[in-house]
């Protein structure tokens, strides 16, 4: 099986995000069920790129330093995991 193209990786990323937004676990898993580890890595890279672009765009609209906001978010997430306010999800 040939590796995913860039556009295919983006389509998988969009499918996974849509299924998660729709709370469709079966659909989510069907989107990536047959992907290789290398394909999944490519999808994760595109998801990360999209996330970073979104954070920077929103930050720019509101005059927020996105790097500082990211650092604060990391601290908050790690604290939430440490104190149990962020629970494991499936």
């Amino acid at each position: 099986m040939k590796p995913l193209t860039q556009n295919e990786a983006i389509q998988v990323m969009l499918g996974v995000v849509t299924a998660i937004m729709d709370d469709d676990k079966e659909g989510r898993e069907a989107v990536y069920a047959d992907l290789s580890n290398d394909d999944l890595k490519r999808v994760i890279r595109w998801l990360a790129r999209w996330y970073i672009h979104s954070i920077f765009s929103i930050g720019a609209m509101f005059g927020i330093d996105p790097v500082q906001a990211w650092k604060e978010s990391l601290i908050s997430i790690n604290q939430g995991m440490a104190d149990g306010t962020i629970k494991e999800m499936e």
Side-chain angles (χ1 to χ4, degrees):
M1 194 166 162
K2 69 177 183 66
L4 289 181
T5 66
Q6 170 184 300
N7 286 347
E8 290 168 336
I10 293 169
Q11 288 174 327
V12 170
M13 182 259 311
L14 294 172
V16 170
V17 171
T18 301
I20 289 171
M21 288 176 60
D22 291 342
D23 197 26
D24 181 1
K25 184 176 180 180
E26 289 178 11
R28 176 189 76 207
E29 294 191 8
V31 170
Y32 56 71
D34 296 328
L35 298 180
S36 70
N37 284 340
D38 285 339
D39 288 341
L40 288 170
K41 288 176 188 177
R42 189 158 206 189
V43 170
I44 289 169
R45 285 192 301 270
W46 274 102
L47 183 57
R49 288 179 183 119
W50 173 83
Y51 188 74
I52 290 167
H53 175 77
S54 296
I55 288 173
F56 275 66
S57 296
I58 293 168
M61 286 189 301
F62 290 98
I64 298 168
D65 176 3
V67 174
Q68 184 61 33
W70 176 252
K71 290 176 183 177
E72 291 172 13
S73 180
L74 290 178
I75 292 168
S76 176
I77 291 167
N78 283 316
Q79 183 61 46
M81 289 186 294
D83 66 20
T85 56
I86 295 177
K87 306 286 185 203
E88 291 278 342
M89 296 178 68
E90 288 186 20

